[in-house]
Each structure stands twice: as C-alpha cells, then as structure tokens.
Amino acid sequence: MYRPSRNLVTLGEFIIERQADFPYAKGELSSLLSDISIAAKIVNREVNKAGLVNILGEAGTDNIQGESQKKLDVFANEQFLAALASGGECAGVASEENDDIILFDNHSTVNGKYVVCMDPLDGSSNIDVNVSVGTIFSIYRRKTKNGPATVEDFLQHGSDQVAAGYIVYGSSTMLVYTTGNGVNGFTLDPSIGEFCLSHPEMRIPKKGNIYSVNQGNFIHFPEGIKKYIKNCQADDKANNKPYTLRYIGSLVSDFHRNLIKGGIYIYPTTLNSPKGKLRLIYEANPMAMIAEQAGGKATDGYKDILEIKPLDIHQRVPLYVGSESMVNESMKFLHEFSDENMQPQYNAKSVN
Ligand code: AHG
Ligand code: MN
Ligand code: MN
C-alpha cells in the first residue's frame, strides 16, 4: 500500500478536512477562506519587496479616522476586496480603509451569504521601518437574506462571527484563524507558495509574563491601569514579576507573540483617545474570538468584547486581550482604582 512520505498539510487541504465543522456552509466558508489566503500571498509579496519599488510613503489620502494612508494600505485593501468580490460568497466588506461599506452587487455576489470586516494592513506605521505588519479579518453570516447587504449585516455582535483570523507578515509569514473550533496557525513556505500547518490547536498560556502597552501614554491612562502597570513592574519573584514589556506597535504582531508565549495586550482609554483607539469590528472582535478560542480572554476592561453591540462600523473600543489570568488581574486594578464614570459607554452619539 502506498504511504505518502510527507506529513505536510496545506491550508487548502486543512480547510477541506475541516469542512465538516460547518455543515450548513456547503463549502462557501471554505472558499472565502481560500480567497483571503490568496490575497494574503499577494500582499505578502508586496510587503516583502516594499523597499525595492516605489510603493513606500504616503499615498496622499487620509482614511476616515484622519490618519494618513500608506500606499501599501491602499494596495492591501484593493487586493482583499478584489479577491472577495471575485469569489462570489461575500456580499460586501467593511474595511478600515473605506468610509462606507462596500457592496458587491453583481449577479454572482449580491446573494452571497457572508460579509467580511477587515483591517487590510494593521501596524501600517511600521511599514517604512521593516517591522512586522498584518491583516485582520472577520466573517459573519449576513442577516438579510438576499439582495444587496445592508449595514446591519456588519453591525453584529462579535459572538456572531463565524470565522476570524489574521496574517502576520513577519520574519516568516503566518496565517492564524478560527472557525469556532480551536485556533490553527499556518506558515507560508515561499518555495512552494503555500501556507502549511505549523501551529495546530494553538492555546494561549493561562498566565504569562509579557505586558504590551504603549507606555508613552502612561500619564493619560486611567488610574487603575497606571496601578496595574506599576504592579507588572513590581519586584515579586513569586509571581514572576517584574514582567517583560514588549510593544511592537502592530496589534497583530503583539497579539501573535502573546498568543504563543502568554501575555496581555492593552490599549486602554486615554485622555486623547477617550473611546480607546482600536476598532471594534476590524481589530477587537476578531482578536477576541481568536483569544477565546485559544483559551484566553478579551474585554473592554468591564465587559467581554464579543458582547458589545456595534453601532458604527468604525467604532472604537478599549482592548484588554490575552492570557486569562492577566486580563482578570488588569480588570481588578481597573475596577478598584478607576472612576466608574470612565467606564466605556456605547450609545449612538458617543461611539466615535
Ligand atoms: P492601523 O495601522 O491599522 O491603523 O493600526 C494601528 C494600531 C495597532 O496595530 C497598534 O497596536 C496601535 O494602533 C498602535 O497605536 P499607538 O501607536 O498609539 O501605540
Ligand atoms: Mn489596525
Ligand atoms: Mn490598518
């Protein structure tokens, strides 16, 4: 009998193997994930040659948050949109880089059963300096049944995500995703152009010793977070403190490291960003689903990220995500020492 001599599993093979995880989906979700992985390979190619061609620098346009867009943001956005539009399963996309939802309304996509939310290039301020960047995506079954998707299809609770993942364009390029049945990581083998299963069944350690926060904003943090950070720096051998501070400035990369090693990533409310900085549907929700599926936790400091009802596609949220016991401890400090009035409020007027 013939026995294959390789034990390599490609993302494509893995997706087909796991098709049974979502019998209702009849292959559409699998094909969406493949479309995303193809766009990821194209973006990876451009990220890797970013210094060689004239793709660096400002594109000269601002996104809705008033941040300057880099050319690679625009390129990545176009690649993911094109891949999803041509796949036929996706009725529309909400992207961090577009003011409004993009609806695919040609005959093959208008009745697509899914919508995708994405941050096509996360950590874009790191592009020019050769530091890892990423892509974050999140997939929902649409609520409306047919015809063009509506904004309500995108404003679903994070707990309604059917899949979420990210790609980190790092020292090697990895795609990590979940469909609600654990988290698996794939490393791109550039020699064969395939993502190969390298990190099966990823679990985040319950406790770690890395904290990731932009400590430059310390003076503007809530009192409880200042106290928590001081506690992370305590001389307390029994509890493995002082912790190590690691902050890359790309959520994807900071999250990925903490997922593997154990740690916490915090982007709290600050005086300058009273609603937090990160976006609920493009950044917090997908990372929260992955964290929970890997045995970790994600909150806004008070409630689970996945339980927040989004009111606007570009809504911001404070984020505490990572090893469960570390997230719990940070919340304990926040509750004990911060003004209850600082608790994030989610109502139509105050989301952005
Ligand atoms: P983006 O590049 O998509 O705008 O996201 C940047 C985000 C996130 O990736 C990162 O962790 C955070 O902004 C860093 O913010 P600070 O520079 O304020 O620390
Ligand atoms: Mn981002
Ligand atoms: Mn971005």
Side-chain angles (χ1 to χ4, degrees), residues 63 67 73 96-97 119 121-125 214 217 247 249-252 254 265 267 277-279 283:
N63 66 14
E67 297 154 343
D73 298 48
E96 186 205 354
E97 299 299 338
D119 178 353
L121 207 75
D122 172 69
S124 40
S125 65
N214 186 341
N217 294 328
Y247 190 74
S250 298
L251 170 65
V252 167
D254 282 308
Y265 176 96
Y267 210 111
K277 176 184 178 187
L278 301 177
R279 292 77 165 172
E283 294 174 316

Side-chain angles (χ1 to χ4, degrees), residues 119-187:
D119 178 353
L121 207 75
D122 172 69
S124 40
S125 65
N126 282 323
I127 297 167
D128 292 359
V129 289
N130 246 339
V131 172
S132 301
V133 292
T135 295
I136 310 174
F137 63 90
S138 153
I139 304 175
Y140 294 85
R141 268 167 90 83
R142 57 186 284 198
K143 296 205 115 165
T144 48
K145 292 280 173 268
N146 38 41
T150 73
V151 73
E152 288 310 316
D153 294 319
F154 298 88
L155 299 180
Q156 300 190 47
H157 287 93
S159 51
D160 292 328
Q161 290 171 104
V162 293
Y166 60 80
I167 298 105
V168 55
Y169 310 100
S171 45
S172 60
T173 291
M174 276 193 72
L175 186 152
V176 173
Y177 84 100
T178 178
T179 52
N181 188 14
V183 179
N184 290 283
F186 301 79
T187 302

Side-chain angles (χ1 to χ4, degrees), residues 310-325:
L311 298 167
D312 184 282
I313 57 168
H314 296 292
Q315 180 169 341
R316 294 175 191 271
V317 72
L319 180 63
Y320 298 69
V321 64
S323 294
E324 186 179 14
S325 75

Side-chain angles (χ1 to χ4, degrees), residues 169-347:
Y169 310 100
S171 45
S172 60
T173 291
M174 276 193 72
L175 186 152
V176 173
Y177 84 100
T178 178
T179 52
N181 188 14
V183 179
N184 290 283
F186 301 79
T187 302
L188 182 64
D189 180 341
S191 67
I192 57 169
E194 293 281 2
F195 284 103
C196 301
L197 181 62
S198 53
H199 295 62
E201 299 300 330
M202 297 174 86
R203 303 295 296 170
I204 183 166
K206 286 281 169 218
K207 200 171 174 3
N209 72 341
I210 296 174
Y211 73 105
S212 311
V213 63
N214 186 341
Q215 216 160 278
N217 294 328
F218 187 88
I219 196 77
H220 293 156
F221 285 164
E223 203 43 42
I225 292 310
K226 289 183 183 169
K227 290 268 198 317
Y228 174 69
I229 290 174
K230 286 293 166 205
N231 186 271
C232 291
Q233 300 167 343
D235 188 12
D236 177 6
K237 262 212 180 85
N239 286 305
N240 225 359
K241 291 172 186 162
Y243 290 160
T244 291
L245 167 64
R246 291 282 183 267
Y247 190 74
I248 295 170
S250 298
L251 170 65
V252 167
S253 312
D254 282 308
F255 178 92
H256 183 67
R257 181 202 51 244
N258 292 355
L259 174 62
I260 291 173
K261 293 191 166 183
I264 184 170
Y265 176 96
I266 301 179
Y267 210 111
T269 56
T270 69
L271 272 188
N272 295 332
S273 307
K275 318 254 176 275
K277 176 184 178 187
L278 301 177
R279 292 77 165 172
L280 176 57
I281 74 167
Y282 313 119
E283 294 174 316
N285 272 338
M287 292 317 201
M289 182 180 185
I290 296 165
E292 288 195 7
Q293 283 294 317
K297 183 163 176 164
T299 77
D300 68 355
Y302 295 87
K303 65 191 285 198
D304 284 352
I305 291 290
L306 298 180
E307 299 310 318
I308 300 168
K309 168 80 176 99
L311 298 167
D312 184 282
I313 57 168
H314 296 292
Q315 180 169 341
R316 294 175 191 271
V317 72
L319 180 63
Y320 298 69
V321 64
S323 294
E324 186 179 14
S325 75
M326 299 178 85
V327 173
N328 288 340
E329 194 176 24
S330 68
M331 288 171 71
K332 210 176 87 209
F333 276 88
L334 192 61
H335 296 190
E336 193 169 341
F337 296 106
S338 296
D339 185 349
E340 277 296 302
N341 297 328
M342 296 283 285
Q343 196 167 324
Q345 301 297 325
Y346 303 105
N347 51 55

